[in-house]
Amino acid sequence: MSPSYSRLIFVPACAFAVLAGSVGCSPTPMPTDASERDGSTDASGDAPDGGSPPDAAVDAPPDAPDVDAGPPGCLEPAIPGTAATSSLTDPMGTATVAIDDRTACLRTYTITSTATRRDALPGSPRTIVERDGAPSVRTGNDLFDALYALTIEEARENSVEAISDYAFDDGRPIDCGGCFETGRLWNYVWTRDTGFSVALGLGTFDPDRALRSLEFKLSERRGGGDLEIVQDTGSGGSWPVSTDRVSWALGAEELLRTLGEPQRTAFRDLALRALRGTIERDRRMVFDAEGGLYRGEQSFLDWREQTYPSWVEGTVVHIAMSRSLSTNVLHLRAIELAASLADETGDAASATRWRGWATDLRTAIHAGFWDESAGLFSTFLTTELDPSAVRRWDLLGQAFAILSGVATQAEAQRIVAAYPHVGPGAAPVIFPEQQETRIYHNRAEWPFVTAFWLRAARAAGNDAVADRAVHALIRGTALYLSNIENMETTTGAAYVDDGVYSGPVVNSQRQLWSVAGYLSMVQQSVFGLETQGDGLRVRPFITATTRSELFGNASEIALRSVPWRGHTLDVVVRFPEAGGEAGYTVASVSVDGVVTGDRSITDTELRPRSRIDVVLAASAAGRTDITQITDVTDWRGIFSPRTPGTASLTLAGAQVRVGIDLGGEAAADVSVAVYRDGVRVADALPGSTSSYLDDAVDAATHTHCWTIETCFVSSGTCSQHSAPSCYWGAANERITVLSASSFAATGGDPITAHGYFHYQAWGDPGDSLEASGFVAPSSGRYMLQVLYGNGGPVDSGITCGIKRILVEDVGTGEIVSDGALVMPHLGTWDRWGDSSLVPVDLVAGRTYRFEIGGDDDTVNMSVFQHFADYTAGAGGRDGAFFRVNIAELRILRMGS
């Protein structure tokens, strides 16, 4: 079935939000809001700025503009707002603002929206009262000022003393000492949400609360020691299926630039300890030394069927064996931060070692994910037997690659220009979208990702994409009277009725990272407050379009009462006279009348309350490249083909014929690509091709694995890869199966149940399984795998199975392989699944012994004190849980 657009609304001529009154776009009624919630839906969760065009030479000190008015700290621009700056009109509705007293130092805003809001919340109109001492802006644009005040208020609403989640202590409040909760519908605090939110702006808003939030996501083991970052509940029982806990490092890095002493030193030492424990164990357990990348799920995109192929949904071991762009860049950032902190504390040996890791990882990320033909980084490599990069993209991964310097400047410019924008708002978080999939990550824009994308656009010098991101953030907050979680991408609607695919499935108001994303847009982009290791740099990023459409009547704009390292800052940005200039650069920066130049401002240069004046000068235009899909009548331009399959593998002489299953797509609509062992060996085959003869391999002596990909001819959007199909010989003779009945076991109870003999209640510390006497029939690469059971829920939990498998050469006593077998939850103990694969090179005629067991490294998240009050499954109050069932050891011969 093709995706339905019968209920979608799209008006290309009204694609941009308008802040200067109506431009002839009539508001279009929204679909009826849905009130149901999907109880099985995963929780949401759970970079420093790039460069900008070189600043102009610093001018002589300007006369400081006199814009102070009213009591101390009341900072007002010279030009008052007008009616044209108090409304936003969009196909979804109109937002307007009224101000009780424009001359008041602390204003009261009344914001009204005709857009249909999710759950009819917040109510319209919404009244926002600026608070004494809280940050505020004055720009001459009443709506812009009001939305910033709304965002500050929502950051305050997310500031709580206790958090709660059904999975912890049966939903009772948990004292966090004063932290941030994740949103109206998410009352807990997740690692990635916290890390990203602190990095985007909450570290500046409330550094003490940000500190406690980050500290809450660290834990020692139940017996004490071994501090690590927590990986929250997630796919297949959490870590090591999901490994993006290192996202914590982004928030820690930003907070370290914000805290004053002695807090900074104390947090530095804590952060280094946690990072050391985390990156060292991740290196041993989830790093692929051969490919140079870390395994694990995409960061943020953690709802399996939303972004992975359908065959992965219930078999998430393939996610555990995948390598994703976003998560690998986060590992890079964590390692680099650890190296920097080690240097700072005098641990030169660790710093040198970790920097070597980072250098190699940076190279491996580029080599593994960069698609030169597309000018984008692939979103992931699917699985162990198909280590090829998919021709699919995610926005957060692209932004991280740019902001972390994995992309060159030329590549950054290509990426920002090439990534497709679909609707009137921001770019979608994935592209292409997946058919027959509900709206959530699929078919959606997420404001916090848009905020990182805005930073990436700045780094690439792309004004058009930056303008779109700024307008998208303003548009969503204005229309829905809150910084909501997400929006459908072709309409920018908070909810679209599309039958069983309706959504976004969940859409929380005052979502923490959306709040932080809006703060980032105002404070870090528009006003240019960039925290540095040695201070604060001020470099406003305001395009000619942004000035014209948002601040056209103002000669200056002001941001007041921003806290930083114990100081309170007021920032005034002065524009040159309007004259059709293409863009702006910084002409001069002064602090309390003293010119600083284009450098970091140290806290020693600041008074308890200081004023920073920035004068802008006209400059040449930035890049204006943008890829915009305006015609949604051909859904093939937005969606990918359904996932194809390999219909069969048959031997033809010494070659293999690969049967092709188009997955339900019409042959005339698609072309076909064939991959062997992760390498594309055929491309652009006609969709009518029923099979492909791979005559470049000798299947008689080597095992190879094939996957299929299809692409729409009309748009070029490509499918997920099919599940790998491997030729193991005519009678699967290259697979040796050792039954658990032949194992020597320590621990567990021998039993035949669920169709196999195995040792029940096996896997506690000290338990082991041993298989001896295997003689390698040929020399070469083998893969080891077990048939296992693990009954936890596929979509959550903390008890993913992980055990170490040692391979000993009996003749020499040498350990020739030491790898980790990952065994994610399967949903029920009645079900058996295949573990991850461990490679080993064996020698013909030699005898080998295999030992499976656990140690201090092969423990799941249930070992940590953080989960002592977990009540949604095993591994919580009853203690750490490491048990799995193992019925077989399989030895897969890949080549002779």
Side-chain angles (χ1 to χ4, degrees):
M1 186 177 81
S2 301
S4 169
Y5 269 96
S6 60
R7 288 172 288 275
L8 297 188
I9 304 165
F10 188 75
V11 185
C14 302
F16 289 89
V18 177
L19 284 173
S22 173
V23 291
C25 298
S26 299
T28 307
M30 276 284 293
T32 301
D33 195 15
S35 59
E36 295 182 357
R37 287 281 179 267
D38 180 1
S40 65
T41 301
D42 283 350
S44 169
D46 144 6
D49 244 345
S52 65
D55 292 341
V58 176
D59 292 340
D63 293 332
D66 183 12
V67 296
D68 289 314
C74 186
L75 201 60
E76 302 290 348
I79 303 297
T82 67
T85 66
S86 62
S87 66
L88 180 152
T89 299
D90 181 87
M92 294 295 101
T94 296
T96 58
V97 63
I99 303 174
D100 285 3
D101 180 0
R102 296 186 49 78
T103 65
C105 183
L106 299 176
R107 291 178 175 176
T108 297
Y109 298 100
T110 302
I111 313 172
T112 304
S113 175
T114 64
T116 301
R117 293 169 308 288
R118 192 65 177 265
D119 316 315
L121 294 173
S124 180
R126 182 175 185 181
T127 299
I128 303 294
V129 180
E130 292 180 332
R131 294 171 180 263
D132 188 22
S136 60
V137 294
R138 296 292 184 263
T139 65
N141 184 312
D142 292 350
L143 187 59
F144 187 90
D145 297 355
L147 296 178
Y148 181 75
L150 181 155
T151 300
I152 292 294
E153 182 65 13
E154 293 200 320
R156 189 195 64 79
E157 290 172 353
N158 283 330
S159 300
V160 297
E161 296 306 307
I163 55 176
S164 63
D165 183 76
Y166 79 95
F168 290 86
D169 199 17
D170 297 315
R172 297 181 184 90
I174 300 171
D175 184 0
C176 61
C179 62
F180 294 111
E181 69 175 7
T182 301
R184 188 182 76 84
L185 297 178
W186 308 110
N187 304 128
Y188 196 62
V189 52
W190 283 272
T191 299
R192 70 177 69 94
D193 297 60
T194 301
F196 294 158
S197 297
V198 172
L200 284 169
L202 292 181
T204 300
F205 171 76
D206 189 339
D208 291 340
R209 194 174 295 274
L211 173 61
R212 290 189 293 270
S213 298
L214 288 170
E215 287 177 338
F216 187 79
K217 304 313 297 184
L218 304 180
S219 180
E220 292 186 341
R221 301 194 181 194
R222 296 187 190 219
D226 296 322
L227 185 73
E228 293 185 24
I229 304 165
V230 168
Q231 184 76 48
D232 293 301
T233 61
S235 297
S238 185
W239 190 93
V241 176
S242 304
T243 65
D244 75 332
R245 57 185 177 151
V246 285
S247 56
W248 184 92
L250 292 191
E253 184 175 40
E254 178 65 21
L255 190 60
L256 285 164
R257 295 169 174 170
T258 303
L259 290 174
E261 296 295 353
Q263 274 187 311
R264 186 193 177 278
T265 294
F267 180 62
R268 177 203 67 190
D269 294 344
L270 180 71
L272 178 57
R273 183 179 160 214
L275 286 166
R276 184 187 300 275
T278 300
I279 67 176
E280 290 287 352
R281 192 157 74 102
D282 280 352
R283 188 75 173 190
R284 295 189 293 269
M285 292 291 100
V286 299
F287 180 68
D288 171 22
E290 292 186 356
L293 296 170
Y294 287 82
R295 301 180 180 92
E297 191 170 36
Q298 297 167 287
S299 185
F300 150 65
L301 302 173
D302 62 340
W303 187 359
R304 298 137 304 280
E305 60 268 33
Q306 288 278 314
T307 55
Y308 285 92
S310 54
W311 51 269
V312 166
E313 181 179 345
T315 314
V316 299
V317 68
H318 294 281
I319 296 178
M321 292 189 288
S322 70
R323 290 81 163 162
S324 69
L325 171 65
S326 55
T327 298
N328 269 274
V329 177
L330 290 172
H331 280 284
L332 171 66
R333 294 296 297 278
I335 294 167
E336 289 179 332
L337 177 59
S340 176
L341 298 183
D343 257 342
E344 188 178 324
T345 57
D347 185 357
S350 292
T352 299
R353 178 163 164 265
W354 292 336
R355 283 209 172 86
W357 291 2
T359 297
D360 292 343
L361 179 57
R362 185 179 296 275
T363 300
I365 292 171
H366 198 283
F369 295 100
W370 177 248
D371 187 327
E372 174 62 25
S373 63
L376 293 163
F377 285 96
S378 170
T379 187
F380 59 72
L381 318 181
T382 308
T383 187
E384 191 74 35
L385 296 177
D386 177 26
S388 56
V390 296
R391 288 189 276 195
R392 306 174 67 84
W393 336 107
D394 80 278
L395 193 64
L396 189 63
Q398 309 297 328
F400 284 170
I402 292 170
L403 297 172
S404 302
V406 172
T408 66
Q409 182 64 18
E411 288 167 349
Q413 292 173 350
R414 290 183 65 191
I415 291 166
V416 173
Y419 195 95
H421 291 68
V422 177
V429 295
I430 64 169
F431 191 87
E433 313 298 341
Q434 300 207 146
Q435 296 184 51
E436 302 173 345
T437 302
R438 292 182 292 178
I439 304 165
Y440 188 60
H441 296 137
N442 193 59
R443 291 172 57 181
E445 63 175 276
W446 287 63
F448 92 91
V449 183
T450 302
F452 279 119
W453 188 235
L454 171 57
R455 293 188 184 186
R458 172 180 183 160
N462 191 315
D463 286 8
V465 173
D467 288 334
R468 176 65 69 88
V470 169
H471 283 281
L473 291 166
I474 292 170
R475 173 192 180 278
T477 306
L479 291 176
Y480 304 116
L481 300 181
S482 181
N483 292 282
I484 62 174
E485 188 172 358
N486 45 31
M487 287 158 277
E488 196 276 335
T489 192
T490 62
T491 62
Y495 182 83
V496 166
D497 181 1
D498 194 16
V500 295
Y501 309 122
S502 299
V505 177
V506 180
N507 198 342
S508 176
Q509 293 82 15
R510 60 174 170 82
Q511 189 75 358
L512 188 68
W513 51 20
S514 299
V515 171
Y518 199 96
L519 291 178
S520 175
M521 181 269 287
V522 176
Q523 296 176 183
Q524 297 169 335
S525 293
V526 172
F527 283 91
L529 297 181
E530 300 178 7
T531 57
Q532 309 281 324
D534 58 351
L536 182 73
R537 196 175 182 191
V538 186
R539 295 189 301 167
F541 179 61
I542 302 171
T543 69
T545 299
T546 294
R547 183 200 175 175
S548 173
E549 294 189 2
L550 295 185
F551 314 131
N553 288 334
S555 60
E556 61 208 17
I557 58 176
L559 169 67
R560 67 182 181 186
S561 300
V562 175
W564 183 71
R565 292 189 183 174
H567 304 271
T568 300
L569 306 179
D570 297 325
V571 182
V572 178
V573 178
R574 176 186 284 181
F575 295 106
E577 292 294 329
E581 60 270 13
Y584 304 97
T585 190
V586 174
S588 68
V589 179
S590 61
V591 177
D592 298 321
V594 178
V595 174
T596 63
D598 183 22
R599 63 168 174 81
S600 293
I601 302 165
T602 65
D603 50 354
T604 58
E605 298 176 76
L606 298 171
R607 302 170 183 170
R609 186 176 196 114
S610 279
R611 170 166 163 160
I612 301 173
D613 287 287
V614 184
V615 176
L616 301 182
S619 71
R623 294 173 63 91
T624 57
D625 317 53
I626 189 168
T627 297
Q628 174 68 40
I629 297 173
T630 57
D631 180 11
V632 298
T633 59
D634 182 3
W635 56 269
R636 295 169 185 82
I638 300 171
F639 289 84
S640 64
R642 284 166 285 193
T643 304
T646 51
S648 61
L649 297 179
T650 56
L651 197 64
Q655 285 80 48
V656 169
R657 183 173 294 280
V658 183
I660 296 171
D661 176 0
L662 298 182
E665 300 296 347
D669 288 346
V670 296
S671 63
V672 176
V674 180
Y675 294 78
R676 182 210 318 126
D677 302 331
V679 177
R680 194 185 311 152
V681 294
D683 201 6
L685 299 175
S688 58
T689 305
S690 60
S691 65
Y692 171 76
L693 180 64
D694 194 338
D695 56 6
V697 297
D698 181 1
T701 58
H702 285 74
T703 292
H704 298 279
C705 302
W706 288 265
T707 56
I708 303 297
E709 172 195 71
T710 56
C711 303
F712 280 130
V713 175
S714 62
S715 65
T717 58
C718 295
S719 71
Q720 300 277 9
H721 291 190
S722 65
S725 293
C726 306
Y727 187 78
W728 301 106
N732 289 332
E733 62 271 15
R734 295 176 201 155
I735 301 177
T736 299
V737 178
L738 304 179
S739 169
S741 61
S742 67
F743 294 172
T746 299
D749 301 315
I751 188 174
T752 298
H754 314 312
Y756 285 90
F757 175 89
H758 62 279
Y759 286 86
Q760 183 173 272
W762 179 88
D764 291 337
D767 289 359
S768 66
L769 299 172
E770 181 181 326
S772 301
F774 174 76
V775 179
S778 61
S779 297
R781 175 56 56 96
Y782 290 73
M783 291 284 186
L784 307 179
Q785 184 180 62
V786 296
L787 182 68
Y788 79 94
N790 187 343
V794 173
D795 63 351
S796 64
I798 55 172
T799 56
C800 179
I802 179 168
K803 301 296 179 184
R804 189 180 297 280
I805 182 166
L806 302 176
V807 184
E808 179 189 24
D809 184 322
V810 174
T812 66
E814 177 188 4
I815 301 298
V816 298
S817 179
D818 175 356
L821 296 166
V822 180
M823 293 164 278
H825 293 173
L826 295 169
T828 172
W829 288 98
D830 293 335
R831 183 182 170 200
W832 295 92
D834 297 331
S835 74
S836 64
L837 296 158
V838 173
V840 57
D841 293 321
L842 303 180
V843 178
R846 302 200 67 85
T847 301
Y848 294 92
R849 181 181 71 89
F850 307 92
E851 182 179 342
I852 303 170
D855 57 22
D856 284 346
D857 279 336
T858 55
V859 291
N860 53 40
M861 283 292 114
S862 74
V863 78
F864 290 101
Q865 182 63 33
H866 182 88
F867 292 103
D869 287 327
Y870 180 68
T871 52
R877 283 182 175 168
D878 293 334
F881 186 91
F882 308 131
R883 292 177 176 178
V884 291
N885 294 335
I886 296 179
E888 295 176 351
L889 170 63
R890 298 172 180 172
I891 307 167
L892 312 176
R893 179 159 54 99
M894 304 302 294
S896 58

